[in-house]
Amino acid sequence: LYGVDDRCQFDTLQPGQTLPVSSNAFDLCICCSVLEYVTDPAVRKLCAQEMARIIKPSGLLFMTVPNRLYPVELHSHKFGWNYFPRLLNARIIGSSLWEVIALARPHVLRPYHTPLLQRFTPWTNFCLKKVSGQRVSATVRETSQRAGI
């Protein structure tokens, strides 16, 4: 592993299992080119919630991912995979800043130093900041559940 294998530890998680890390443990979590390969909606939500759980209040989550708003999936060049993943049996699905914010609930994440235009590029990089001491209210959560977010 490029000369660092003696300093790395790899854990295998069972479906639905949380990361073996305490909550609020890190200042920064980086997720580069991973979320697009998580196509199961429940697992995708768990991934976003776990990343938000392990960062400290005021901690940052930096992501780079193909933009789900873009009509062509960038790895496969398939038209519509980002829009109709179930219908087209997509194996790769982009994401967006807004999707990650919604999936991370009940943790509250806000855009942090991410220019507005960057949120609409085919390959998007964005940073989210965990809002300290806030959780999504029951009303917002119920509205989101009804909307399927």
Side-chain angles (χ1 to χ4, degrees):
L1 212 188
Y2 306 106
V4 295
D5 55 332
D6 61 324
R7 292 169 286 185
C8 294
Q9 174 182 329
F10 295 94
D11 293 315
T12 302
L13 301 177
Q14 299 302 315
Q17 185 180 0
T18 60
L19 294 170
V21 175
S22 62
S23 297
N24 306 318
F26 300 101
D27 294 314
L28 174 67
C29 178
I30 299 172
C31 182
C32 292
S33 303
V34 174
L35 197 59
E36 65 264 31
Y37 296 102
V38 181
T39 58
D40 180 283
V43 177
R44 202 169 169 98
K45 182 171 183 61
L46 178 66
C47 288
Q49 287 176 333
E50 281 297 286
M51 288 185 283
R53 180 185 68 82
I54 65 171
I55 56 176
K56 295 176 182 177
S58 299
L60 302 175
L61 169 57
F62 177 80
M63 297 196 73
T64 174
V65 66
N67 197 333
R68 191 166 186 166
L69 302 175
Y70 195 66
V72 177
E73 196 289 312
L74 295 177
H75 295 84
S76 64
H77 305 290
K78 301 275 185 171
F79 185 81
W81 269 21
N82 284 333
Y83 296 156
F84 310 105
R86 287 190 195 120
L87 179 67
L88 299 175
N89 197 26
R91 293 184 304 277
I92 302 172
I93 306 169
S95 188
S96 71
L97 173 141
W98 298 281
E99 179 189 23
V100 174
I101 289 171
L103 290 174
R105 291 178 182 141
H107 304 282
V108 178
L109 300 174
R110 297 282 183 249
Y112 182 76
H113 291 286
T114 302
L116 183 63
L117 291 178
Q118 178 60 41
R119 302 172 194 187
F120 297 99
T121 59
W123 192 276
T124 185
N125 306 301
F126 54 88
C127 190
L128 300 170
K129 186 174 189 174
K130 185 175 182 180
V131 178
S132 60
Q134 288 189 2
R135 294 180 73 78
V136 176
S137 70
T139 305
V140 172
R141 190 170 28 256
E142 289 168 8
T143 304
S144 299
Q145 289 171 347
R146 276 181 273 164
I149 299 175

